[in-house]
Amino acid sequence: MIMQPPPFRDPAAPLRDRIDDLLGRLTLEEKVGLLHQYQAPVERLGLAAFRTGTEALHGLAWLGPATVFPQAIGLASTWDRDLVRRVGAATGDEVLAFHHKDPAGAGLNVWAPVVNPLRDPRWGRNEEGYSEDPWLTSVMATAYARGLSGSAPEEDGETPGGSAPRVLKTAPTLKHFLAYNNETDRCTTSSNLPPRVLREYELPAFRGPIEEGVAVAVMPSYNLVNGRPAHLSPLIGQVLRAWAPDDLLVVSDAYAPGNLTTLQGYHDTPPEAYAHALRAGIDSFTQDDDRAGATLGHLRDALDRGLLAEEDVDTAVRHVLSIRFRLGEFDPATPYDEISDGVVNCPEHQALAREAARCSFVLLENDGLLPLGDDVRTVAVIGQLGDALMEDWYSGTLPYAVTARAGLSERRETVFCEAVDRVTLTADAGPVTADPAGGPLRAGAAEPGLFDLLDWGGGAYALRAVATGRFVSVDGTTLVNDQPGPNGWEVRQTFRIEERPRGTLALRHISTGCYVAAGPDGVLGLVDDADQAAWLAMDVVVSGAGEAARVAAAADVAVVVVGDHPLVNGRETEDRTTLALAPAQDAVVRAVRAANPRTVMVVSSGYPLTWTEDELPAVLWSAHGGQEYGHALAEVLFGDADPEGRLTQTWYRSEQELPDLLDYDIIASDATYQYFRGVPLHPFGHGLSYTTFGYDDLRVRQSGGVVHAEVTVTNTGPRPGVEVVQFYTHQQRSRVKQPLRRLRGFEKVRLAPGESRRVALRLPVSELAFWDVTRSRFVVERAPHRLMVGRSATDLRLSARFEVEGEVIPPQSGLLRGADHDEYDAITFVDETRVDGDAVRSEVAGAWILFREVDLTGVTSCVAEAGSTEGGMITIRRGDPLYGPALATFPVPRTGRYDYHSVAAPLAGAGGVHDLYVVFENEGVTLVRIGFGAAA
């Protein structure tokens, strides 16, 4: 008798039926075993072990050599959806190749892309995102996830409800939900999100990839949002899963579940915390690495205590199993079974890496020096990054590295200068030397050892022993010289320099905060006490800037390659405080420019930088560009290709132009290109070409609820070129503060000299909506708008006005939620309850919130729902928070943290429509809502 396979193994059966069948066969204990990152096998049913989480941000990471593409912000700088999709597809193929070799080591749930909008360039993980614009972030994330998942190219057509294939190549996971742009105290800080910022800025970045069905999982972030841990956000179920055409898997970030009772102290016990997380939407707990025992024990305890029901477990397990089914795990075969190790770093992927790097270069400045011509015979390649390629924390292992020096040397005669200071160090015990075998550093030698001093900015320095070519690191508490450079999760190769008397200095180890001291035997090690630090004399033997100038002066052209180290001065767990180029690198640029007027500055960085030399003939930027960086750079410098990249982030003139790092309210703080009123160093969307473009004949019309715009773009220069045509809109009249400009669409066009092309935008009028706090929904307002088209957010060549027949927002009345105010001062957003809802709390006495246009016709009383652990007072004033007449005063009684009292008060005669200020007379008063009625 032939045994029929169970229904869950029938690929022809509907997915829901297959999941139901398998779910029904599992015991409760087996289902609980599927709720950890390392899912337990169920051998009696033939279920193998399964692990979530393979890093694949810009190529497969952490598992050995694989193709390394430009960083995510570099991929976005191409403004090329299809190219980004192809990079995602290549990465997906390499993930599968590793998976076929080692299913346990290389899982098919990939943790990419990152869709946090790049609100602040000081964020330590800036290079992981795509753009400060949420719509552009969504576009690029959708493209990358489309490739990872095996979805068809966008132009091939899509079906309603999503475009993911029947069998996923990999299962992409969006990171990190929600409002996560700071590493400083990231597990304990709360991101303040007013409703408009939430709905118009943060959420849209996630929507596209989920709604298209190409991202099938989400990871919450470490931080809190409006006082509630992001891992407990009700928005997971209310918003994210409402967008998804299929089941959406939600995986926790590493060790975040444990934070709920430790760092965040949100719950008293792990069973309470884990039960809340599961009910809030977490399906897979990434906790304690592969040791699932404690997590599963907490979930069992939650079940035993009635904090969870089996139905809660079933809901989460359904999401887990859905991904495994859609990956083809229970099918007899998948379309990807033939993908083998041969695809890893194959010639096609190498060519794709080169194309992606080439297309990501952004020409920031050019007085005509670029492209380099045949008259250039010798090139001086200068700088710390001139002959080095960097790996970031989420990059793969480089299979090979084409540096700037290597790429340019294939085209012209080159001479290289790293341009770092070569120094000696002398302690009281004598000169410092490095062990030739890579061992300890020691003071007291007869002759000083030589060290190269590398400045990575932000006060972070690295020392490299000339004798070994290895970097100084810390082994335990002893200084050794055995590392290839700054590396690892805990970077132990960087130091700060602190001044000491008589021109000496002390070295402070950045990772530990300890100081370098000499022991009785002269061996250098770390001590806690600054008073015990060795006073070191640092003498410069060779000036990096001086040597760079000497080399540059003898060359036809100098190419200075500067930038950041992805693991230093900003990275995961560490934000940066400055956007300034490292001082020593900045000095090298100035010296080279003075020595050779034909100087090109090439910037390689994961975030915007500033510098002091303002007369550079040419400046070219890219993110860290992966293994083919040098070849791509040479092609752009010598004009084989037009610089195609455009900035996806504003380059400010100084970090002083930015609000506080923890200020997430881009509207109130005038942040990002949408609201920034200053003149940036380089605007969002900026990027020069080697040719010129003209814009003409902009036409705008409305039809069937859609705004149609067309413009003619012409290559008016002598060379073929690439233009990114950018469309923006601005609402000119509104009840609320509107963006100065908002990107609505773009098209990348390649034009021969003299060639013209008609470029079109199709914009549904519904996309002109903003979040109306008075009615908690999106609204299209009746208002004039201006459509603008051009080369960047500030280089707008043409514009046209059009009218939108939308709504007129009526005055507010009745019950008003505290969080749904129009403006505020000194207010913190907090969680109304542990489960759901937002409220506001005063940070200082005199804090206020404003409700515009409140209709008080016939209103004689009002009721406030509020609380405070210390008690307090609330006053309602008309027209002004300080001098406006007081209409009502409420005493707020002492309450518990989540206890609120309804307090009524008569309302002084104030019929009609007025702007009302709710003034908190004391610190720490929480307001949930306030209501206006005819009677108390």
Side-chain angles (χ1 to χ4, degrees), residues 741-761:
R741 65 203 59 89
R742 179 175 290 177
L743 182 69
R744 296 299 186 179
F746 67 90
E747 185 173 335
K748 196 169 192 177
V749 294
R750 302 175 187 276
L751 299 174
E755 182 182 3
S756 296
R757 187 170 305 172
R758 200 77 176 146
V759 178
L761 169 73

Side-chain angles (χ1 to χ4, degrees), residues 14 172 202 234 479 496 633 644 664 708 716 735 772 845 924:
E202 293 288 346
L479 267 64
R496 300 202 189 283
L633 174 63
E644 295 187 22
Y664 279 74
H708 297 272
T716 56
R735 178 188 179 277
D772 176 19

Side-chain angles (χ1 to χ4, degrees), residues 700-708 728-734 738 744 763-770 778-787 800-809:
V700 178
R701 62 182 177 85
Q702 292 185 63
S703 174
V706 176
V707 177
H708 297 272
Y728 298 83
T729 65
H730 168 61
Q731 183 171 330
Q732 297 180 300
R733 185 179 65 245
S734 179
Q738 290 286 349
R744 296 299 186 179
L763 177 67
V765 171
S766 60
E767 293 187 12
L768 297 172
F770 63 89
F778 278 101
V779 59
V780 175
E781 213 172 12
R782 181 189 302 168
H785 292 249
R786 184 160 293 277
L787 186 140
R801 191 174 184 270
F802 63 97
E803 294 278 348
V804 170
E805 289 299 322
E807 301 181 52
V808 175
I809 299 174

Side-chain angles (χ1 to χ4, degrees), residues 309 320 511 529 552 684 688 725 728 768 916:
V320 169
S511 176
D529 189 353
F684 175 89
L688 303 177
V725 182
Y728 298 83
L768 297 172
L916 297 185

Side-chain angles (χ1 to χ4, degrees), residues 1 24 86 94 183 227 265 268 299 324 454 502 518 810 886:
M1 179 178 178
R86 287 185 284 128
E94 298 198 8
E183 298 304 297
D268 293 331
L299 292 169
R324 295 178 65 169
L454 286 82
R502 301 191 301 277

Side-chain angles (χ1 to χ4, degrees), residues 603-841:
V603 182
S604 181
S605 68
Y607 62 94
L609 285 166
T610 63
W611 52 89
T612 60
E613 175 58 60
D614 57 4
E615 294 186 357
L616 287 163
V619 180
L620 190 66
W621 172 82
S622 79
H624 293 282
Q627 63 198 50
E628 282 286 336
Y629 171 83
H631 285 148
L633 174 63
E635 289 173 346
V636 173
L637 288 179
F638 286 102
D640 302 350
D642 201 39
E644 295 187 22
R646 301 293 186 267
L647 297 179
T648 63
Q649 195 170 15
T650 302
W651 283 46
Y652 298 93
R653 294 181 181 276
S654 166
E655 62 275 2
Q656 300 302 317
E657 295 181 320
L658 293 164
D660 187 277
L661 179 66
L662 299 180
D663 188 348
Y664 279 74
D665 188 349
I666 67 163
I667 299 175
S669 64
D670 291 336
T672 80
Y673 83 95
Q674 292 188 8
Y675 294 94
F676 183 60
R677 296 181 180 277
V679 179
L681 179 65
H682 296 296
F684 175 89
H686 173 69
L688 303 177
S689 167
Y690 290 151
T691 187
T692 55
F693 297 94
Y695 286 70
D696 188 37
D697 193 21
L698 173 63
R699 299 185 183 184
V700 178
R701 62 182 177 85
Q702 292 185 63
S703 174
V706 176
V707 177
H708 297 272
E710 289 188 349
V711 67
T712 298
V713 181
T714 303
N715 182 344
T716 56
R719 297 173 54 93
V722 181
E723 176 69 315
V724 178
V725 182
Q726 302 165 41
F727 293 92
Y728 298 83
T729 65
H730 168 61
Q731 183 171 330
Q732 297 180 300
R733 185 179 65 245
S734 179
R735 178 188 179 277
V736 301
K737 182 178 180 179
Q738 290 286 349
L740 301 173
R741 65 203 59 89
R742 179 175 290 177
L743 182 69
R744 296 299 186 179
F746 67 90
E747 185 173 335
K748 196 169 192 177
V749 294
R750 302 175 187 276
L751 299 174
E755 182 182 3
S756 296
R757 187 170 305 172
R758 200 77 176 146
V759 178
L761 169 73
R762 183 184 184 277
L763 177 67
V765 171
S766 60
E767 293 187 12
L768 297 172
F770 63 89
W771 187 257
D772 176 19
V773 295
T774 72
R775 293 174 291 176
S776 295
R777 65 175 175 86
F778 278 101
V779 59
V780 175
E781 213 172 12
R782 181 189 302 168
H785 292 249
R786 184 160 293 277
L787 186 140
M788 302 161 284
V789 62
R791 308 198 69 246
S792 76
T794 61
D795 185 3
L796 297 167
R797 303 298 178 86
L798 298 172
S799 68
R801 191 174 184 270
F802 63 97
E803 294 278 348
V804 170
E805 289 299 322
E807 301 181 52
V808 175
I809 299 174
Q812 306 181 71
S813 61
L815 192 64
L816 309 180
R817 293 191 58 84
D820 290 334
H821 53 263
D822 288 290
E823 294 181 26
Y824 63 96
D825 182 62
I827 285 294
T828 297
F829 288 80
V830 296
D831 47 339
E832 177 185 347
T833 71
R834 281 193 172 93
V835 175
D836 199 2
D838 293 336
V840 293
R841 179 182 298 155

